[in-house]
Amino acid sequence: MGIGFSIFLFGIGAILTFAVEVNASGFNINTVGIILMVGGLLGLVASLLFWSSFSPWSRRRTVAADAIVEERRIERDLP
C-alpha cells in the first residue's frame, strides 16, 4: 500500500465518519469510516517505515573515485 492510497483511505474514512449521516440497518457507516481511517493510518506508517533510511532493505551508497557504487545487503543462508 503506497502513501497516496493510504491518505486516500484515511480521507474516505473521515468523510464517512464525520460528514455522512445515514440510518442503515445491518451496519453502522461510522464504524466503517473508523476502520478505513485506522487502515489508512497503518498503511501510511508502514509505507514511511519501509521508505526510511533506517529500513533493513535500504541501499548504502559508497563514493569511490568520482563514481557512485550502490550496494544492497543480501542475507543468504549458505549450506
Side-chain angles (χ1 to χ4, degrees), residues 3-73:
I3 293 174
F5 188 68
S6 298
I7 293 172
F8 175 75
L9 273 184
F10 186 81
I12 295 297
I15 290 170
L16 289 178
T17 301
F18 301 115
V20 175
E21 294 184 23
V22 175
N23 293 330
S25 62
F27 68 97
N28 189 351
I29 197 79
N30 292 333
T31 305
V32 174
I34 291 173
I35 291 171
L36 288 176
M37 287 173 57
V38 169
L41 278 179
L42 290 176
L44 182 65
V45 168
S47 294
L48 291 177
L49 178 68
F50 286 119
W51 275 30
S52 173
S53 62
F54 299 112
S55 174
W57 301 282
S58 67
R59 292 184 177 186
R60 290 183 283 174
R61 299 180 86 183
T62 305
V63 178
D66 297 334
I68 298 175
V69 179
E70 294 187 4
E71 301 175 1
R72 286 190 184 185
R73 287 190 331 195

